[in-house]
Amino acid sequence: MGPDPTLFEERHLKYISVLGKGNFGSVELCRYDPLGDSTGELVAVKRLQHSSAEHQHDFEKEISILRSLHHDFVVAYRGVCYSQGEEDAGASSGQRRLHLVMEYLPSGCLRNYLQKNKERLDHKKLLLYAWQVCKGMDYLGSQRYIHRDLAARNILVENENRVKIGDFGLAKILPQGKEYYVVQEPGQSPIFWYAPESLSDCIFSPESDVWSFGVVLYELFTYGSRSHSPTEEFLRLIGPSNPPLVVYHLFKLLKKNKRLPMPAGCPIEVFVLMQSCWSFLPCQRPRFCTLAPQIEVLRDSCCK
Ligand SMILES: C[C@H](Nc1nc(-c2c[nH]c3ncc(Cl)cc23)ncc1F)C(=O)NCC(F)(F)F
């Protein structure tokens, strides 16, 4: 029974930089360097910011979800790190802080990658990424997980031929015998990736993940453009309105079958696929297991 490779000792975890801020936590680039000679591996460490008891509980659930996932197109769990932290070392609380250790993907998130590499990413490559996200999401659904925050900012790039789904901070497990999940908090992730039923009734399901996948397809074929982002396009459609009513106006225009426009240069077959993910009724949306082969066909037929 050798040492537990999923247990990282705080004293060997060398902070390098902040990679980004998540829903309640931040993710840092660290080197796990037990030999102290900088030969250790780079890892991504997620720490909770202001950790309330509820956030800690949600974080523990996020960790247990990620620990249970093993797939080529899902960011890999590496382990956990318990830190005593100097601030509470002496404190009688003695409560240990828990940190999530994940693999580090040096090419960063898909949204930025698309912006930076627009010139050398052809449609075949975009459809490869789309297919991989589909396969990863089909696997997630097979484990009865709902991601709830599928967006290009939450997909990581391993290399130019491989992407992985990340950020399980909002993921939920479908209770046995239930096909959807109702959340209490309206959710803080941008509403422009949300299905209508999520906007109106906080209902999330594999079908609402498919809606978000359609928006990821849109992001792929706009190469992560800021000026034509889902947020910008929907705000253009909604017109000037004060913040609290945006959700209402967004739902209203989705009800009237208004959708994101076809990205410039996007093959019509891809736009048709995007639109099928945006069927108002969840039951009319394709499933990830049927989307993947459809994307393969498009990949083989599109030359560019
Ligand atoms: C809050 C964190 N944000 C960021 N992370 C990284 C990153 C690069 N390389 C990485 N390798 C492993 C991880 Cl977990 C993150 C990164 N880059 C920019 C970010 F803004 C995050 O988790 N984002 C969700 C997802 F990981 F899916 F992109």
Side-chain angles (χ1 to χ4, degrees):
M1 195 52 186
D4 177 353
T6 71
L7 211 48
F8 289 76
E9 291 183 65
E10 168 101 41
R11 59 195 173 103
H12 298 320
L13 212 47
K14 309 295 180 211
Y15 169 83
I16 296 174
S17 63
V18 174
L19 289 167
K21 297 267 179 244
N23 293 302
F24 299 110
S26 72
V27 176
E28 299 169 353
L29 173 59
C30 296
R31 181 184 300 279
Y32 190 61
D33 201 35
L35 300 180
D37 59 1
S38 293
T39 61
E41 71 164 337
L42 294 176
V43 289
V45 181
K46 184 162 188 175
R47 306 178 194 282
L48 273 192
Q49 295 294 54
H50 11 283
S51 55
S52 71
E54 192 198 349
H55 288 163
Q56 277 290 1
H57 180 63
D58 289 346
F59 190 42
E60 281 155 18
K61 280 200 290 184
E62 175 182 354
I63 292 170
S64 67
I65 288 177
L66 201 61
R67 185 171 44 225
S68 70
L69 296 172
H70 304 89
H71 194 271
D72 282 349
F73 308 134
V74 173
V75 67
Y77 169 87
R78 279 276 188 279
V80 289
C81 173
Y82 292 97
S83 73
Q84 199 49 42
E86 48 288 344
E87 73 281 1
D88 55 25
S92 59
S93 66
Q95 107 261 9
R96 300 185 305 176
R97 301 260 318 256
L98 184 59
H99 308 295
L100 168 58
V101 183
M102 295 169 281
E103 65 174 324
Y104 167 63
L105 277 69
S107 298
C109 81
L110 180 59
R111 178 135 185 266
N112 299 343
Y113 187 82
L114 290 169
Q115 290 166 4
K116 283 181 206 140
N117 297 279
K118 179 178 166 57
E119 301 316 316
R120 66 184 187 86
L121 294 172
D122 62 12
H123 289 171
K124 210 173 179 66
K125 187 70 70 161
L126 298 182
L127 288 168
L128 173 64
Y129 301 154
W131 182 81
Q132 293 176 344
V133 173
C134 243
K135 296 302 278 186
M137 288 306 296
D138 187 30
Y139 166 72
L140 227 59
S142 73
Q143 308 297 306
R144 294 185 62 76
Y145 289 127
I146 310 167
H147 189 281
R148 293 189 55 231
D149 206 0
L150 191 58
R153 69 180 176 279
N154 287 334
I155 293 164
L156 287 165
V157 181
E158 166 94 27
N159 59 50
E160 75 167 283
N161 294 313
R162 184 140 125 180
V163 296
K164 299 191 176 194
I165 299 162
D167 202 339
F168 289 78
L170 294 181
K172 299 284 183 197
I173 186 157
L174 271 179
Q176 281 305 331
K178 287 204 66 178
E179 294 315 306
Y180 62 87
Y181 195 100
V182 184
V183 299
Q184 306 322 323
E185 80 282 356
Q188 54 290 327
S189 75
I191 54 173
F192 303 113
W193 279 255
Y194 273 6
E197 69 275 8
S198 307
L199 292 170
S200 59
D201 301 289
C202 293
I203 290 173
F204 292 86
S205 64
E207 292 78 15
S208 61
D209 275 344
V210 166
W211 177 289
S212 302
F213 174 76
V215 184
V216 170
L217 264 181
Y218 174 88
E219 292 185 277
L220 279 165
F221 281 82
T222 52
Y223 292 90
S225 154
R226 290 184 189 80
S227 55
H228 294 283
S229 73
T231 304
E232 286 311 311
E233 287 295 336
F234 273 124
L235 286 176
R236 228 191 304 276
L237 281 171
I238 290 170
S241 78
N242 38 18
L245 289 173
V246 171
V247 173
Y248 168 74
H249 289 304
L250 175 60
F251 180 83
K252 214 173 55 176
L253 70 85
L254 293 178
K255 188 88 180 93
K256 287 190 301 190
N257 263 336
K258 293 268 187 79
R259 294 293 184 272
L260 290 167
M262 182 169 83
C266 174
I268 187 71
E269 302 87 346
V270 175
F271 187 53
V272 166
L273 204 66
M274 247 181 252
Q275 290 185 305
S276 70
C277 297
W278 298 331
S279 301
F280 191 84
L281 294 178
C283 59
Q284 289 178 351
R285 294 168 206 157
R287 312 187 71 78
F288 286 114
C289 57
T290 56
L291 275 167
Q294 289 174 35
I295 291 169
E296 274 181 278
V297 165
L298 290 181
R299 259 206 95 217
D300 296 340
S301 64
C302 92
C303 45
K304 182 183 181 301

